[in-house]
Amino acid sequence: MKKLVLLIAGITLLLNTSLAQSFHRRAFVIDFGIGANLSKIVTSQEYNAQIGHGSNTQTIRIKKDTTDNSGGIVFPLTLEYGLKNWLGITCRASYTKYFAGKDSLTGIKPDVRGIDGGLGLNLHVIKTKRFDMPIGITLGYSNFQSISNDSINSVAKDHGFNYGFAIVPRIYFAGHIGLSINLGYMAYTYPSVLFSNKNDSNINDNNNRIFKLKESGANIGVGLVIKI
């Protein structure tokens, strides 16, 4: 029994010694990457419409929900500080350039992009001398903008919030430098998209439009990791 206790204590000490090398309390980790985003887009809109003619004209309320798919290139930057040997707090920012097709009527390709940031926590479930695998959650702020590039400078934009989780294995090659792989899920909510152009700063007012957008999907990418 005594030998078993000593064996367990020895293994625990060995693991703690090696685990602290890949991530530890007060460690500072910088992770800059590039990835792909594949999402489902759900839009909900309401607006007033006129039906009938002359004295028989009536105003009705139209409600429509639409589901579509979207993709883009993501450039994330994550900073992490070690609160414990197994727990880190993160600060994340990213820029997303969405793929957008040409308008079927005008043939013009819009410019669609998003910027988001947030705070999160990483739980480091597996660590060795050269390998670290945190599981993280994040919550934060997002900004979305779609520029139509037409003759009247049509724009749709909003700000909202995001949340997500990810598994981010890190492989260290030379002490403090390594490679990360991001396998995650992110969701965005934009509750009040505003439409405007150079002639009208608030097109929504014209027909009392309410436009909501929700995006959710997978993020897959790689990054360069630097540990200080």
Side-chain angles (χ1 to χ4, degrees):
M1 184 65 180
K2 183 178 179 180
K3 291 182 178 180
L4 179 60
V5 172
L6 292 175
L7 178 61
I8 293 175
I11 293 175
T12 302
L13 178 63
L14 178 62
L15 286 175
N16 287 335
T17 301
S18 63
L19 296 184
Q21 295 178 22
S22 61
F23 186 82
H24 52 84
R25 183 171 178 265
R26 296 181 181 176
F28 185 70
V29 181
I30 303 171
D31 188 342
F32 178 73
I34 182 172
N37 167 281
L38 182 61
S39 300
K40 179 178 73 173
I41 305 293
V42 178
T43 59
S44 300
Q45 59 178 316
E46 300 180 21
Y47 57 91
N48 294 338
Q50 304 291 327
I51 61 172
H53 300 281
S55 60
N56 293 323
T57 300
Q58 296 181 352
T59 300
I60 63 172
R61 191 68 174 167
I62 303 296
K63 297 181 180 181
K64 294 197 304 184
D65 293 333
T66 304
T67 301
D68 203 352
N69 295 315
S70 176
I73 301 297
V74 186
F75 301 92
L77 171 65
T78 302
L79 308 178
E80 181 178 8
Y81 178 77
L83 298 175
K84 301 287 184 179
N85 287 346
W86 51 272
L87 180 67
I89 184 170
T90 62
C91 178
R92 178 184 180 275
S94 72
Y95 171 83
T96 303
K97 173 70 173 178
Y98 291 94
F99 302 129
K102 294 182 179 180
D103 186 274
S104 58
L105 297 178
T106 64
I108 299 174
K109 187 176 182 179
D111 181 16
V112 185
R113 56 181 179 260
I115 298 175
D116 61 90
L119 298 175
L121 293 173
N122 275 354
L123 179 64
H124 295 258
V125 294
I126 300 177
K127 294 179 295 180
T128 65
K129 183 177 181 180
R130 300 292 186 188
F131 181 77
D132 178 25
M133 191 174 75
I135 297 176
I137 58 173
T138 183
L139 176 67
Y141 166 88
S142 296
N143 182 276
F144 163 83
Q145 189 174 56
S146 175
I147 303 173
S148 296
N149 294 320
D150 57 11
S151 59
I152 57 173
N153 300 326
S154 299
V155 175
K157 62 182 179 180
D158 196 10
H159 55 84
F161 66 91
N162 67 73
Y163 66 90
F165 59 87
I167 300 175
V168 190
R170 299 168 179 168
I171 303 172
Y172 289 95
F173 301 113
H176 298 278
I177 298 176
L179 173 72
S180 69
I181 301 173
N182 184 296
L183 305 171
Y185 169 90
M186 288 294 296
Y188 304 85
T189 297
Y190 300 103
S192 54
V193 179
L194 175 66
F195 294 84
S196 65
N197 58 42
K198 68 178 183 181
N199 301 319
D200 190 344
S201 61
N202 189 349
I203 299 176
N204 299 48
D205 283 348
N206 298 342
N207 57 3
N208 195 21
R209 173 183 287 186
I210 299 174
F211 194 100
K212 302 177 182 180
L213 186 152
K214 292 185 178 181
E215 174 190 353
S216 60
N219 285 341
I220 301 174
V222 296
L224 174 67
V225 180
I226 301 174
K227 184 180 66 173
I228 300 174

